[in-house]
Amino acid sequence: MALNRLNDVLRQSVGALEQEGRRKGAEAVVVGVLPPEGERGPRYLLAGYGDKPFIRMNSNSYLGLSRHPSLKQAEEEAIERFGVGPGAVRFISGTYAPHVELERSLAAFHGREAAMIFSSAYATVLSVVVPLTTDQTVLISDELNHNCIINAVRLARPLEKLIYKHLDLESLEQALQKAAAMGARRVLVISDGVFSMRGSHAPLAEIAQLVNHYDPQFAENAILVVDDSHGVGAFGATGRGTEEYTGAQADILIGTLGKAFGVNGGYVVGSSDLITYLRETAPMYIYSNPITPGEAAAALAALNLLQTEEGQQRLQHLTAMTERFRQGLRALGYASFAGVHPVVPLVLGEASQTNRMAAFLREQGVLATAIVYPVVPKGEASIRFQISAEHTRADVDEVLGILQAAR
């Protein structure tokens, strides 16, 4: 069958994105990585740019572990032992020893009874929220939550869906009161730990206090669900994320292996009853392959490394480089959001200006991404810089110098 008429519509849609400054365009293709040399960190080579080196300021690899020798060795040994793929979904034939060991270690790392890994954090959020939602459940979500939470709420079929104003505790309390007045048996309050477009974090202690206060009004509990994919490994004194930074604990915590840990996959930690239930009901666990045994082994190596002296030094260096960059932006007079996380947005406000800045940075050898509506609200178009433990003082100062020239 022909797609000629549909293709016309699709081209028009992409053209409209182009005119509005919202088209993402072709992806950069990394063809090589130059190792650190002297005072500079690694540089990246892109297809179409020859030998021109780029400093990468748009990666979630906060601890810079993706090429670490211990992770590569762990993955290579697991591949040699088990092969390159899991072969099937886990309940059929896809569970290997590295999967089980990683889940045990993640549960221990977060002080929970059990853990469960998925192919991604996005899949984890969908596979946690939807199975826990009944027709007597109310879902309450922060208005700036990540797209994975937005779509999980859309896919679920609750009694009601309520959105509270970003980090507004009064708005959250009103939503909890409304849920109680409806006679809901269960309520899920869902929030990002770190909001990935702003680098700001949720006040989990205050949110948890509110949720606990209203918990007796729901027969099946008021439950705090936190996706801390950008927090774990990059935030908190020992890298345990927003929970550690705020001194609070969620009822259900979701994280990723694909950001600070430098590998791939997502996970959830919680009670043993919760994890047992999700293994029986989570669609993207039951019907989708897990991460490979090699990836699980590499992720476990990353988790173990974080808890060593080297890992803690990387975390401390990341914190120092983040503060250096934030101070430099302020000194140059650029607008940003307050925070201490390695996500540091340079807020320009207007999409076309933001896209021009991203193009200028690339010309100068800096990889940084323009973030525009609908990824962020209108008027908040930004260049999202992401600091990594791979960055040196010289790297940070080089980028700040380029930004000074851009003024």
Side-chain angles (χ1 to χ4, degrees):
M1 292 186 294
L3 296 178
N4 56 315
R5 293 185 296 279
L6 176 59
N7 285 337
D8 288 341
V9 174
L10 300 181
R11 281 194 296 271
Q12 290 171 12
S13 297
V14 173
L17 293 175
E18 181 82 45
Q19 290 179 355
E20 296 167 10
R22 298 197 288 125
R23 185 178 178 185
K24 297 175 182 64
E27 299 166 357
V29 178
V30 178
V31 296
V33 182
L34 303 177
E37 183 178 352
E39 295 184 346
R40 70 158 180 79
R43 293 294 187 268
Y44 292 77
L45 302 177
L46 303 184
Y49 287 87
D51 294 331
K52 181 177 181 177
F54 290 84
I55 179 171
R56 186 170 66 166
M57 299 290 290
N58 58 357
S59 170
N60 296 322
S61 184
Y62 298 118
L63 292 175
L65 295 179
S66 60
R67 295 183 308 281
H68 193 281
S70 65
L71 273 68
K72 292 193 290 186
Q73 180 180 350
E75 183 158 5
E76 288 168 1
E77 290 177 353
I79 288 173
E80 186 66 28
R81 184 179 176 189
F82 299 111
V84 297
V89 299
R90 287 181 67 177
F91 88 95
I92 293 177
S93 67
T95 285
Y96 289 81
H99 295 135
V100 176
E101 188 175 359
L102 175 60
E103 287 174 335
R104 289 173 180 163
S105 296
L106 286 167
F109 179 74
H110 289 293
R112 302 311 209 277
E113 291 178 350
M116 179 178 177
I117 56 176
F118 290 81
S119 58
S120 69
Y122 203 116
T124 309
V125 171
L126 294 175
S127 287
V128 169
V129 173
V130 174
L132 289 178
T133 301
T134 69
D135 60 3
Q136 292 300 308
T137 300
V138 171
L139 301 179
I140 302 177
S141 178
D142 187 292
E143 66 177 342
L144 292 188
N145 275 338
H146 188 270
N147 179 269
C148 63
I149 297 175
I150 294 171
N151 277 334
V153 171
R154 285 174 176 168
L155 287 171
R157 297 181 178 179
L159 175 65
E160 185 63 272
K161 306 171 185 179
L162 302 174
I163 308 299
Y164 65 94
K165 296 177 182 177
H166 181 52
L167 303 184
D168 188 323
L169 297 176
E170 182 178 350
S171 179
L172 171 58
E173 183 165 22
Q174 290 171 355
L176 284 163
Q177 291 170 347
K178 185 175 182 179
M182 292 177 183
R185 295 184 60 80
R186 183 186 309 176
V187 63
L188 270 60
V189 175
I190 313 167
S191 177
D192 282 335
V194 172
F195 292 85
S196 59
M197 296 301 125
R198 292 189 168 204
S200 56
H201 66 275
L204 290 190
E206 291 82 356
I207 292 175
Q209 184 178 11
L210 263 181
V211 173
N212 290 336
H213 177 75
Y214 283 91
D215 177 71
Q217 300 190 37
F218 300 93
E220 297 174 359
N221 292 119
I223 302 159
L224 177 57
V225 182
V226 174
D227 176 4
D228 203 27
S229 292
H230 283 269
V232 174
F235 203 40
T238 64
R240 285 171 169 81
T242 308
E243 287 190 330
E244 182 174 45
Y245 189 83
T246 61
Q249 190 173 79
D251 298 302
I252 301 173
L253 179 69
I254 294 165
T256 185
L257 306 168
K259 292 183 171 58
F261 292 130
V263 191
N264 186 38
Y267 64 91
V268 58
V269 295
S271 68
S272 57
D273 287 333
L274 169 74
I275 300 304
T276 298
Y277 173 77
L278 290 176
R279 290 193 196 278
E280 300 294 332
T281 61
M284 294 187 186
Y285 177 85
I286 298 171
Y287 301 107
S288 182
N289 278 9
I291 61 175
T292 68
E295 289 173 322
L300 179 60
L303 182 64
N304 291 336
L305 188 148
L306 175 59
Q307 298 172 79
T308 66
E309 182 178 355
E310 179 190 347
Q312 292 302 295
Q313 288 174 349
R314 281 178 175 259
L315 181 60
Q316 291 164 14
H317 178 70
L318 172 64
T319 302
M321 292 304 96
T322 298
E323 179 58 22
R324 187 178 186 87
F325 188 71
R326 284 185 176 275
Q327 287 182 357
L329 278 189
R330 288 194 294 268
L332 292 174
Y334 282 109
S336 186
F337 294 107
V340 295
H341 188 270
V343 166
V344 189
L346 190 163
V347 182
L348 295 170
E350 200 268 330
S352 61
Q353 181 184 7
T354 303
N355 288 324
R356 288 196 302 272
M357 174 67 89
F360 171 78
L361 289 169
R362 180 166 293 199
E363 290 172 3
Q364 303 302 312
V366 178
L367 298 177
T369 304
I371 307 293
V372 302
Y373 176 84
V375 180
V376 294
K378 289 182 177 179
E380 292 186 8
S382 308
I383 301 293
R384 184 175 70 163
F385 290 99
Q386 292 163 277
I387 309 303
S388 168
E390 288 186 322
H391 294 143
T392 66
R393 291 167 61 97
D395 291 337
V396 170
D397 291 346
E398 178 182 338
V399 175
L400 290 172
I402 293 170
L403 289 172
Q404 183 176 17
R407 295 293 288 179

